[in-house]
Amino acid sequence: MLASLVVLAALTFFLLKALPGGPFDEDTALNPLVKEKLSEHWGVQKSALGQVGSYLFAVAQGDLGISMAKPDRTVAEIIAQGVRNTLVLNGIALLCILSGAFIVAIAAVRFRGTWIEAFVDQMVIAFLSLPSLFWGPLLIYFFGFYWNLLPVAFLSSPAHYVLPVLTLSLRPLASLIRLLKNSLNENFQQDYVRTAKAKGIGVWGILIQHVLKNSLVPFLSYVGPLIVSLLSGSFLVEVLFAVPGLGTEFISALNDRDYTLIVGLTLFYGSLLIVVNSVIDVLLRVADPRLKEQA
Protein backbone atom coordinates (compact mmCIF):
# COMPACT_ATOMS: atom_id res chain seq x y z
CA MET A 1 0.00 0.00 0.00
CA LEU A 2 2.77 2.42 0.93
CA ALA A 3 4.70 1.66 -2.26
CA SER A 4 1.57 2.22 -4.36
CA LEU A 5 0.88 5.58 -2.70
CA VAL A 6 4.50 6.74 -3.11
CA VAL A 7 4.42 5.87 -6.83
CA LEU A 8 1.01 7.53 -7.17
CA ALA A 9 2.24 10.77 -5.57
CA ALA A 10 5.40 10.81 -7.69
CA LEU A 11 3.53 10.18 -10.96
CA THR A 12 1.02 12.91 -10.11
CA PHE A 13 3.81 15.42 -9.49
CA PHE A 14 5.62 14.54 -12.72
CA LEU A 15 2.41 14.75 -14.77
CA LEU A 16 1.56 18.13 -13.24
CA LYS A 17 5.03 19.43 -14.07
CA ALA A 18 4.64 18.16 -17.65
CA LEU A 19 1.43 20.16 -18.15
CA PRO A 20 1.76 23.71 -19.50
CA GLY A 21 1.26 26.55 -17.00
CA GLY A 22 1.55 26.58 -13.26
CA PRO A 23 0.15 28.17 -10.11
CA PHE A 24 2.14 31.37 -10.72
CA ASP A 25 2.43 31.45 -14.52
CA GLU A 26 2.14 34.35 -16.97
CA ASP A 27 -1.66 34.39 -16.79
CA THR A 28 -1.64 35.18 -13.07
CA ALA A 29 -2.13 38.91 -12.45
CA LEU A 30 0.79 39.38 -10.02
CA ASN A 31 3.87 41.51 -9.93
CA PRO A 32 6.88 39.56 -11.28
CA LEU A 33 8.76 40.04 -8.00
CA VAL A 34 5.78 38.72 -6.06
CA LYS A 35 5.57 35.72 -8.38
CA GLU A 36 9.24 35.03 -7.88
CA LYS A 37 8.89 35.17 -4.09
CA LEU A 38 5.82 32.92 -4.16
CA SER A 39 7.55 30.40 -6.41
CA GLU A 40 10.55 30.40 -4.08
CA HIS A 41 8.32 30.02 -1.01
CA TRP A 42 6.41 27.06 -2.47
CA GLY A 43 9.49 25.48 -4.03
CA VAL A 44 7.95 25.55 -7.51
CA GLN A 45 11.33 26.47 -9.02
CA LYS A 46 12.84 23.22 -7.75
CA SER A 47 13.10 20.22 -10.00
CA ALA A 48 10.16 17.82 -10.04
CA LEU A 49 12.29 15.24 -8.23
CA GLY A 50 13.16 17.75 -5.51
CA GLN A 51 9.51 18.72 -5.07
CA VAL A 52 8.47 15.08 -4.83
CA GLY A 53 11.11 14.38 -2.20
CA SER A 54 10.14 17.40 -0.10
CA TYR A 55 6.45 16.59 -0.35
CA LEU A 56 6.81 12.91 0.54
CA PHE A 57 9.00 13.83 3.51
CA ALA A 58 6.26 16.19 4.76
CA VAL A 59 3.52 13.58 4.17
CA ALA A 60 5.53 11.01 6.15
CA GLN A 61 5.24 13.44 9.06
CA GLY A 62 1.46 13.70 8.60
CA ASP A 63 1.49 17.07 6.83
CA LEU A 64 -0.38 17.30 3.50
CA GLY A 65 0.60 20.94 3.15
CA ILE A 66 -1.28 24.17 2.53
CA SER A 67 -3.38 24.90 -0.54
CA MET A 68 -1.55 27.14 -3.02
CA ALA A 69 -4.79 28.70 -4.27
CA LYS A 70 -6.24 29.06 -0.74
CA PRO A 71 -3.22 29.76 1.49
CA ASP A 72 -5.44 30.32 4.54
CA ARG A 73 -6.55 26.67 4.49
CA THR A 74 -4.66 23.41 4.75
CA VAL A 75 -5.21 20.50 2.37
CA ALA A 76 -6.40 18.35 5.29
CA GLU A 77 -9.07 20.95 6.17
CA ILE A 78 -10.34 21.07 2.57
CA ILE A 79 -10.51 17.27 2.39
CA ALA A 80 -12.28 17.05 5.75
CA GLN A 81 -14.87 19.62 4.65
CA GLY A 82 -15.68 18.01 1.30
CA VAL A 83 -15.31 14.31 2.12
CA ARG A 84 -18.70 13.98 3.83
CA ASN A 85 -20.75 15.06 0.80
CA THR A 86 -18.66 12.95 -1.59
CA LEU A 87 -18.77 9.78 0.51
CA VAL A 88 -22.47 10.15 1.33
CA LEU A 89 -23.35 10.72 -2.33
CA ASN A 90 -21.26 7.79 -3.54
CA GLY A 91 -22.38 5.60 -0.62
CA ILE A 92 -26.07 6.14 -1.42
CA ALA A 93 -25.41 5.50 -5.11
CA LEU A 94 -23.49 2.28 -4.31
CA LEU A 95 -26.27 1.07 -2.00
CA CYS A 96 -28.89 1.74 -4.69
CA ILE A 97 -26.79 -0.06 -7.32
CA LEU A 98 -26.11 -3.16 -5.21
CA SER A 99 -29.63 -3.54 -3.82
CA GLY A 100 -31.23 -2.73 -7.19
CA ALA A 101 -29.00 -5.22 -9.02
CA PHE A 102 -29.87 -8.02 -6.57
CA ILE A 103 -33.61 -7.38 -6.72
CA VAL A 104 -33.90 -6.91 -10.49
CA ALA A 105 -31.51 -9.72 -11.50
CA ILE A 106 -33.13 -12.25 -9.16
CA ALA A 107 -36.62 -11.27 -10.38
CA ALA A 108 -35.53 -11.59 -14.03
CA VAL A 109 -34.04 -15.06 -13.44
CA ARG A 110 -36.99 -16.24 -11.35
CA PHE A 111 -39.45 -15.23 -14.07
CA ARG A 112 -37.43 -16.30 -17.09
CA GLY A 113 -39.29 -16.27 -20.38
CA THR A 114 -41.89 -13.75 -19.15
CA TRP A 115 -42.45 -10.06 -19.83
CA ILE A 116 -40.48 -9.27 -16.66
CA GLU A 117 -37.25 -10.67 -18.10
CA ALA A 118 -37.92 -8.95 -21.43
CA PHE A 119 -38.49 -5.61 -19.67
CA VAL A 120 -35.28 -5.99 -17.63
CA ASP A 121 -33.26 -6.79 -20.77
CA GLN A 122 -34.60 -3.72 -22.58
CA MET A 123 -33.94 -1.53 -19.53
CA VAL A 124 -30.34 -2.78 -19.30
CA ILE A 125 -29.75 -2.06 -23.00
CA ALA A 126 -31.19 1.45 -22.66
CA PHE A 127 -29.10 2.33 -19.59
CA LEU A 128 -25.89 0.89 -21.06
CA SER A 129 -26.33 2.66 -24.39
CA LEU A 130 -25.91 6.14 -22.91
CA PRO A 131 -23.07 7.50 -20.71
CA SER A 132 -23.78 8.74 -17.21
CA LEU A 133 -23.12 12.35 -18.14
CA PHE A 134 -25.90 12.15 -20.72
CA TRP A 135 -28.41 11.24 -18.03
CA GLY A 136 -27.46 14.23 -15.85
CA PRO A 137 -28.61 17.04 -18.18
CA LEU A 138 -31.58 14.91 -19.29
CA LEU A 139 -32.76 14.39 -15.69
CA ILE A 140 -32.16 18.05 -14.86
CA TYR A 141 -34.22 19.18 -17.83
CA PHE A 142 -37.23 16.93 -17.21
CA PHE A 143 -37.36 16.66 -13.42
CA GLY A 144 -35.87 20.05 -12.59
CA PHE A 145 -37.29 22.41 -15.21
CA TYR A 146 -39.95 20.75 -17.38
CA TRP A 147 -41.92 19.06 -14.58
CA ASN A 148 -40.37 21.08 -11.72
CA LEU A 149 -40.41 18.07 -9.39
CA LEU A 150 -36.91 17.94 -7.94
CA PRO A 151 -34.12 20.41 -7.02
CA VAL A 152 -31.11 20.40 -9.31
CA ALA A 153 -28.30 21.88 -7.18
CA PHE A 154 -26.66 21.46 -3.76
CA LEU A 155 -27.48 18.82 -1.12
CA SER A 156 -29.74 20.71 1.25
CA SER A 157 -32.39 18.01 1.70
CA PRO A 158 -33.02 14.33 0.84
CA ALA A 159 -34.75 15.43 -2.38
CA HIS A 160 -31.50 17.05 -3.55
CA TYR A 161 -29.80 13.63 -3.63
CA VAL A 162 -32.24 12.04 -6.08
CA LEU A 163 -30.95 13.40 -9.39
CA PRO A 164 -27.18 13.13 -8.72
CA VAL A 165 -27.65 9.60 -7.32
CA LEU A 166 -29.65 8.58 -10.40
CA THR A 167 -27.00 10.09 -12.68
CA LEU A 168 -24.27 8.10 -10.93
CA SER A 169 -26.27 4.88 -10.65
CA LEU A 170 -28.10 4.14 -13.89
CA ARG A 171 -25.25 2.86 -16.08
CA PRO A 172 -23.37 0.91 -13.35
CA LEU A 173 -26.71 -0.56 -12.23
CA ALA A 174 -27.37 -1.89 -15.72
CA SER A 175 -23.87 -3.42 -15.93
CA LEU A 176 -24.25 -5.14 -12.57
CA ILE A 177 -27.74 -6.45 -13.40
CA ARG A 178 -26.45 -8.00 -16.62
CA LEU A 179 -23.44 -9.51 -14.87
CA LEU A 180 -25.43 -11.01 -12.00
CA LYS A 181 -28.24 -12.20 -14.26
CA ASN A 182 -25.80 -14.05 -16.55
CA SER A 183 -24.02 -15.58 -13.55
CA LEU A 184 -27.32 -16.74 -12.04
CA ASN A 185 -28.46 -18.28 -15.33
CA GLU A 186 -25.13 -20.07 -15.71
CA ASN A 187 -25.29 -21.54 -12.21
CA PHE A 188 -28.87 -22.66 -12.79
CA GLN A 189 -27.52 -25.13 -15.35
CA GLN A 190 -25.23 -26.86 -12.82
CA ASP A 191 -25.74 -30.39 -11.50
CA TYR A 192 -26.35 -29.29 -7.91
CA VAL A 193 -29.50 -27.45 -9.02
CA ARG A 194 -30.96 -30.64 -10.45
CA THR A 195 -30.05 -32.44 -7.21
CA ALA A 196 -31.79 -29.74 -5.17
CA LYS A 197 -34.89 -30.00 -7.36
CA ALA A 198 -34.90 -33.79 -6.89
CA LYS A 199 -34.90 -33.21 -3.11
CA GLY A 200 -38.08 -31.17 -3.48
CA ILE A 201 -36.58 -27.72 -2.81
CA GLY A 202 -38.63 -24.95 -4.43
CA VAL A 203 -37.35 -22.53 -7.08
CA TRP A 204 -37.01 -19.62 -4.63
CA GLY A 205 -35.14 -21.85 -2.18
CA ILE A 206 -32.72 -23.05 -4.85
CA LEU A 207 -32.21 -19.51 -6.11
CA ILE A 208 -31.54 -17.89 -2.73
CA GLN A 209 -29.81 -20.71 -0.85
CA HIS A 210 -27.65 -22.23 -3.58
CA VAL A 211 -27.46 -20.36 -6.88
CA LEU A 212 -27.09 -16.86 -5.46
CA LYS A 213 -24.16 -17.75 -3.22
CA ASN A 214 -22.25 -19.39 -6.07
CA SER A 215 -22.92 -16.37 -8.29
CA LEU A 216 -21.35 -13.85 -5.91
CA VAL A 217 -17.72 -14.23 -7.01
CA PRO A 218 -18.02 -12.37 -10.36
CA PHE A 219 -20.44 -9.97 -8.65
CA LEU A 220 -17.94 -9.08 -5.92
CA SER A 221 -15.08 -8.91 -8.45
CA TYR A 222 -16.96 -6.10 -10.18
CA VAL A 223 -17.60 -4.09 -7.00
CA GLY A 224 -14.00 -2.82 -6.77
CA PRO A 225 -13.93 -1.35 -10.31
CA LEU A 226 -17.49 -0.13 -9.72
CA ILE A 227 -16.41 1.97 -6.73
CA VAL A 228 -13.49 3.36 -8.77
CA SER A 229 -15.94 4.24 -11.54
CA LEU A 230 -18.31 5.92 -9.09
CA LEU A 231 -15.59 8.02 -7.47
CA SER A 232 -14.17 9.15 -10.81
CA GLY A 233 -17.64 9.76 -12.26
CA SER A 234 -18.69 11.78 -9.24
CA PHE A 235 -16.14 14.49 -10.13
CA LEU A 236 -18.20 15.83 -13.01
CA VAL A 237 -21.52 14.93 -11.39
CA GLU A 238 -20.60 17.09 -8.39
CA VAL A 239 -19.77 19.98 -10.74
CA LEU A 240 -22.98 19.43 -12.73
CA PHE A 241 -25.19 19.51 -9.62
CA ALA A 242 -23.08 22.08 -7.71
CA VAL A 243 -22.31 19.57 -4.94
CA PRO A 244 -19.68 20.95 -2.53
CA GLY A 245 -17.59 17.78 -2.40
CA LEU A 246 -14.09 16.54 -3.19
CA GLY A 247 -14.83 16.25 -6.90
CA THR A 248 -15.59 19.96 -7.11
CA GLU A 249 -12.43 20.75 -5.15
CA PHE A 250 -10.39 18.49 -7.46
CA ILE A 251 -11.64 20.19 -10.64
CA SER A 252 -11.00 23.62 -9.08
CA ALA A 253 -7.49 22.57 -8.02
CA LEU A 254 -6.70 21.36 -11.55
CA ASN A 255 -7.81 24.70 -13.01
CA ASP A 256 -5.67 26.59 -10.47
CA ARG A 257 -2.67 24.20 -10.78
CA ASP A 258 -2.87 23.86 -6.99
CA TYR A 259 -0.15 21.22 -6.73
CA THR A 260 -0.46 20.49 -3.01
CA LEU A 261 -4.24 20.09 -3.12
CA ILE A 262 -4.16 17.95 -6.28
CA VAL A 263 -1.60 15.53 -4.84
CA GLY A 264 -3.33 15.52 -1.43
CA LEU A 265 -6.67 14.60 -3.01
CA THR A 266 -4.97 12.01 -5.23
CA LEU A 267 -3.39 10.37 -2.19
CA PHE A 268 -6.72 10.42 -0.35
CA TYR A 269 -8.56 8.78 -3.27
CA GLY A 270 -5.71 6.32 -3.76
CA SER A 271 -5.75 5.30 -0.09
CA LEU A 272 -9.52 4.90 -0.18
CA LEU A 273 -9.44 2.71 -3.29
CA ILE A 274 -6.60 0.54 -1.95
CA VAL A 275 -8.56 -0.10 1.25
CA VAL A 276 -11.73 -0.87 -0.74
CA ASN A 277 -9.91 -3.35 -3.00
CA SER A 278 -8.37 -5.03 0.05
CA VAL A 279 -11.81 -5.45 1.64
CA ILE A 280 -13.22 -6.83 -1.65
CA ASP A 281 -10.32 -9.31 -1.81
CA VAL A 282 -11.18 -10.57 1.69
CA LEU A 283 -14.87 -10.89 0.78
CA LEU A 284 -13.96 -12.85 -2.35
CA ARG A 285 -11.97 -15.34 -0.30
CA VAL A 286 -14.92 -15.75 2.06
CA ALA A 287 -17.35 -16.25 -0.83
CA ASP A 288 -15.08 -18.69 -2.68
CA PRO A 289 -12.90 -20.92 -0.40
CA ARG A 290 -10.98 -22.12 -3.46
CA LEU A 291 -9.18 -18.75 -3.53
CA LYS A 292 -7.76 -19.49 -0.06
CA GLU A 293 -6.36 -22.79 -1.32
CA GLN A 294 -4.76 -21.06 -4.33
CA ALA A 295 -3.15 -18.49 -2.02
Side-chain angles (χ1 to χ4, degrees):
M1 291 173 65
L2 288 175
S4 298
L5 292 175
V6 168
V7 172
L8 181 63
L11 284 176
T12 303
F13 253 115
F14 291 135
L15 289 173
L16 286 172
K17 294 293 289 185
L19 291 174
F24 314 115
D25 59 11
E26 294 78 8
D27 296 329
T28 308
L30 291 174
N31 184 283
L33 293 176
V34 175
K35 291 182 185 179
E36 184 179 351
K37 289 294 183 182
L38 286 173
S39 298
E40 183 179 348
H41 173 74
W42 290 105
V44 175
Q45 293 177 334
K46 294 181 182 179
S47 65
L49 191 60
Q51 291 183 56
V52 169
S54 300
Y55 183 80
L56 291 177
F57 180 75
V59 170
Q61 297 176 318
D63 181 15
L64 291 176
I66 299 173
S67 169
M68 290 182 173
K70 303 170 185 176
D72 58 329
R73 301 176 65 194
T74 65
V75 172
E77 289 174 349
I78 295 174
I79 292 176
Q81 183 177 359
V83 68
R84 178 184 175 276
N85 287 332
T86 294
L87 292 185
V88 169
L89 180 63
N90 282 275
I92 294 174
L94 182 62
L95 182 63
C96 292
I97 292 169
L98 296 179
S99 58
F102 270 108
I103 294 171
V104 175
I106 290 173
V109 172
R110 172 62 182 85
F111 299 102
R112 283 181 296 176
T114 68
W115 67 269
I116 295 178
E117 184 184 19
F119 175 77
V120 169
D121 290 341
Q122 293 302 315
M123 181 187 70
V124 167
I125 293 173
F127 289 168
L128 286 176
S129 300
L130 299 171
S132 298
L133 287 180
F134 175 86
W135 291 107
L138 191 68
L139 293 171
I140 288 174
Y141 173 74
F142 282 105
F143 289 95
F145 298 108
Y146 190 77
W147 292 319
N148 195 27
L149 294 176
L150 294 168
V152 297
F154 309 115
L155 296 177
S156 305
S157 69
H160 287 78
Y161 284 88
V162 176
L163 294 183
V165 167
L166 281 175
T167 303
L168 277 173
S169 302
L170 290 179
R171 203 164 190 269
L173 174 63
S175 297
L176 207 52
I177 289 173
R178 183 176 63 176
L179 178 67
L180 185 57
K181 179 173 175 286
N182 290 339
S183 183
L184 289 170
N185 281 327
E186 181 180 342
N187 278 283
F188 248 115
Q189 310 303 320
Q190 301 300 317
D191 292 337
Y192 67 84
V193 173
R194 287 190 287 271
T195 303
K197 288 180 179 178
K199 292 180 178 180
I201 301 176
V203 177
W204 279 111
I206 295 172
L207 183 59
I208 302 299
Q209 297 175 21
H210 301 283
V211 175
L212 183 59
K213 181 181 178 181
N214 293 320
S215 302
L216 286 180
V217 173
F219 181 86
L220 290 174
S221 300
Y222 183 75
V223 172
L226 170 63
I227 295 175
V228 175
S229 175
L230 283 178
L231 287 172
S232 59
S234 70
F235 285 11
L236 296 181
V237 170
E238 287 180 17
V239 174
L240 183 64
F241 291 95
V243 175
L246 294 183
T248 303
E249 293 289 353
F250 203 101
I251 298 297
S252 176
L254 286 173
N255 290 331
D256 296 334
R257 294 293 192 274
D258 191 341
Y259 292 167
T260 52
L261 183 55
I262 292 172
V263 180
L265 287 169
T266 302
L267 285 175
F268 175 80
Y269 276 110
S271 302
L272 189 63
L273 294 176
I274 288 173
V275 171
V276 167
N277 284 327
S278 299
V279 172
I280 296 299
D281 186 55
V282 172
L283 292 177
L284 281 171
R285 293 173 186 276
V286 172
D288 189 354
R290 291 173 298 179
L291 295 176
K292 294 181 182 178
E293 297 174 2
Q294 294 174 3

